[in-house]
Coordinates of all heavy atoms in Angstrom, one line a residue:
Chain A
R7 N -4.6 14.1 -6.8 CA -4.7 14.8 -8.1 C -4.7 13.9 -9.3 O -4.9 14.4 -10.4 CB -3.6 16.0 -8.2 CG -2.2 15.5 -8.4 CD -1.2 16.6 -8.4 NE -1.3 17.4 -7.1 CZ -1.3 18.7 -7.2 NH1 -1.2 19.4 -8.2 NH2 -1.4 19.4 -6.0
E8 N -4.2 12.7 -9.1 CA -4.1 11.8 -10.2 C -5.4 11.0 -10.3 O -5.5 10.1 -11.3 CB -2.9 10.9 -10.1 CG -1.6 11.7 -10.2 CD -0.4 10.8 -10.0 OE1 -0.5 9.6 -9.9 OE2 0.8 11.4 -9.9
S53 N 10.7 10.7 0.9 CA 11.8 11.3 1.6 C 13.0 11.5 0.8 O 13.8 12.5 1.1 CB 12.1 10.4 2.9 OG 12.6 9.1 2.6
S62 N 14.5 26.7 -1.6 CA 13.4 27.5 -2.2 C 12.3 26.5 -2.7 O 11.1 26.8 -2.7 CB 13.9 28.4 -3.3 OG 14.6 27.6 -4.3
E71 N 1.8 28.4 2.4 CA 2.0 29.8 1.9 C 3.5 29.9 1.3 O 4.0 31.0 1.4 CB 1.7 30.8 2.9 CG 0.4 30.9 3.5 CD -0.7 31.4 2.5 OE1 -0.5 31.2 1.3 OE2 -1.7 32.0 3.0
R139 N 10.4 6.2 21.6 CA 11.0 5.1 21.0 C 10.8 5.0 19.4 O 11.7 4.7 18.8 CB 10.3 3.7 21.6 CG 10.7 2.5 21.1 CD 9.9 1.3 21.6 NE 8.6 1.3 21.1 CZ 8.1 0.9 20.0 NH1 9.0 0.5 19.1 NH2 6.8 1.0 19.6
V192 N 20.4 13.2 4.5 CA 20.8 11.8 4.7 C 19.5 11.0 5.2 O 19.5 9.9 5.6 CB 22.0 11.6 5.6 CG1 23.1 12.1 4.9 CG2 21.8 12.1 7.0
P204 N 5.3 4.3 7.6 CA 5.5 3.0 7.0 C 4.6 2.0 7.8 O 4.1 1.0 7.2 CB 7.0 2.8 7.3 CG 7.5 4.1 7.2 CD 6.6 5.0 7.9
W301 N 27.5 25.9 9.4 CA 26.7 24.9 8.8 C 27.3 23.4 9.0 O 26.6 22.6 8.6 CB 26.7 25.1 7.2 CG 28.0 25.4 6.6 CD1 28.9 24.4 6.2 CD2 28.5 26.6 6.2 NE1 30.0 25.1 5.6 CE2 29.8 26.4 5.6 CE3 28.1 28.0 6.3 CZ2 30.6 27.4 5.1 CZ3 28.9 29.0 5.8 CH2 30.2 28.7 5.2
L334 N 20.0 38.7 6.1 CA 21.0 39.7 6.6 C 20.6 41.1 6.4 O 19.9 41.4 5.4 CB 22.4 39.4 5.9 CG 23.1 38.2 6.3 CD1 24.3 37.9 5.3 CD2 23.8 38.4 7.7
G336 N 20.7 45.1 5.6 CA 21.4 46.0 4.6 C 21.1 45.6 3.1 O 20.3 44.7 2.8
R346 N 29.4 37.6 2.0 CA 30.8 36.9 1.8 C 31.4 36.6 3.2 O 32.3 35.8 3.3 CB 31.8 37.9 1.2 CG 31.4 38.0 -0.3 CD 32.5 38.7 -1.1 NE 32.2 38.7 -2.5 CZ 31.3 39.6 -3.2 NH1 30.9 40.6 -2.5 NH2 31.2 39.4 -4.5
D432 N 9.8 50.6 18.7 CA 8.5 50.1 18.0 C 8.7 48.6 17.8 O 9.5 48.1 17.2 CB 8.4 50.8 16.6 CG 7.1 50.4 16.0 OD1 6.4 49.5 16.5 OD2 6.8 51.0 15.0
E437 N 12.5 41.6 14.2 CA 12.3 40.4 13.3 C 12.0 39.1 14.2 O 12.8 38.6 14.9 CB 13.6 40.2 12.5 CG 13.6 39.1 11.5 CD 15.0 38.7 11.1 OE1 16.0 39.5 11.2 OE2 15.2 37.7 10.5
Chain B
I9 N 0.7 9.7 -14.2 CA 1.7 10.8 -14.5 C 2.1 11.5 -13.3 O 1.4 11.5 -12.3 CB 1.2 11.7 -15.5 CG1 -0.2 12.2 -15.2 CG2 1.3 11.4 -17.0 CD1 -0.7 13.3 -16.1
D20 N -4.7 24.7 -6.3 CA -3.5 24.5 -5.5 C -2.5 25.6 -5.9 O -1.3 25.4 -5.5 CB -3.0 23.1 -5.6 CG -2.7 22.7 -7.0 OD1 -3.0 23.4 -7.9 OD2 -2.3 21.5 -7.2
E44 N 27.1 45.8 -6.4 CA 28.4 45.8 -5.9 C 29.1 47.1 -6.2 O 28.6 47.8 -7.1 CB 29.2 44.7 -6.5 CG 28.6 43.3 -6.2 CD 29.3 42.5 -5.2 OE1 29.9 43.1 -4.2 OE2 29.4 41.3 -5.3
S74 N -1.4 31.5 -1.2 CA -2.9 31.7 -1.3 C -3.2 33.1 -1.8 O -2.3 34.0 -2.0 CB -3.5 31.6 0.0 OG -3.2 32.6 0.9
E118 N 14.3 50.1 4.7 CA 14.6 49.0 5.7 C 14.9 49.6 7.1 O 14.5 49.0 8.1 CB 15.8 48.1 5.3 CG 16.1 47.0 6.2 CD 17.2 46.1 5.5 OE1 16.9 45.7 4.3 OE2 18.1 45.7 6.2
G123 N 7.9 50.6 12.6 CA 8.0 49.2 12.3 C 7.3 48.6 11.1 O 7.8 47.7 10.5
Y130 N 11.2 44.1 4.6 CA 11.7 42.8 4.9 C 10.8 41.7 4.2 O 11.3 40.7 3.8 CB 11.6 42.6 6.4 CG 12.0 41.3 7.0 CD1 13.5 41.1 7.1 CD2 11.2 40.2 7.4 CE1 14.0 40.0 7.6 CE2 11.7 39.1 7.9 CZ 13.1 38.9 8.1 OH 13.7 37.8 8.5
K133 N 12.2 41.6 0.8 CA 13.5 41.2 0.6 C 13.8 39.8 0.7 O 14.5 39.0 -0.1 CB 14.3 42.0 1.6 CG 15.9 41.7 1.6 CD 16.5 42.5 2.7 CE 18.0 42.2 2.9 NZ 18.5 43.0 4.0
I138 N 16.0 34.7 -1.1 CA 16.3 33.2 -0.7 C 16.9 32.4 -1.9 O 17.8 31.7 -1.8 CB 15.1 32.6 -0.2 CG1 14.9 33.0 1.4 CG2 15.1 31.0 -0.1 CD1 13.7 32.5 2.1
E142 N 21.6 30.3 -3.7 CA 21.2 28.9 -3.5 C 22.1 28.0 -4.3 O 22.2 26.8 -4.1 CB 19.8 28.7 -3.9 CG 19.2 27.5 -3.3 CD 17.6 27.5 -3.4 OE1 17.0 27.7 -4.5 OE2 17.0 27.4 -2.4
R154 N 30.4 22.9 0.4 CA 29.9 21.5 -0.2 C 29.6 21.6 -1.6 O 29.4 22.8 -2.1 CB 28.7 21.1 0.7 CG 29.0 20.9 2.1 CD 27.8 20.3 2.9 NE 27.9 20.8 4.3 CZ 26.8 20.9 5.1 NH1 25.7 20.7 4.7 NH2 27.1 21.2 6.4
G170 N 20.0 7.3 4.7 CA 18.7 6.9 4.5 C 18.4 5.4 4.5 O 19.2 4.6 3.9
E172 N 15.8 3.5 2.8 CA 14.6 3.5 1.9 C 14.3 2.0 1.5 O 15.2 1.3 1.1 CB 14.8 4.3 0.6 CG 15.2 5.8 1.0 CD 14.1 6.5 1.6 OE1 12.9 6.1 1.4 OE2 14.2 7.5 2.3
A178 N 10.3 5.3 3.6 CA 11.4 5.2 4.4 C 11.1 4.3 5.6 O 10.0 4.4 6.1 CB 11.8 6.6 4.9
P184 N 13.8 1.4 17.5 CA 14.9 2.5 17.5 C 15.4 2.7 18.9 O 14.8 2.4 19.9 CB 14.0 3.6 17.1 CG 12.6 3.3 17.4 CD 12.5 1.9 17.4

Side-chain angles (χ1 to χ4, degrees):
Chain A
R7 68 182 60 224
E8 295 177 9
S53 61
S62 59
E71 299 287 29
R139 181 185 63 82
V192 300
W301 49 77
L334 284 166
R346 289 192 173 87
D432 181 350
E437 182 191 343
Chain B
I9 41 177
D20 57 358
E44 299 259 30
S74 71
E118 185 169 312
Y130 186 76
K133 178 181 175 181
I138 281 177
E142 200 163 57
R154 298 180 204 154
E172 302 293 338

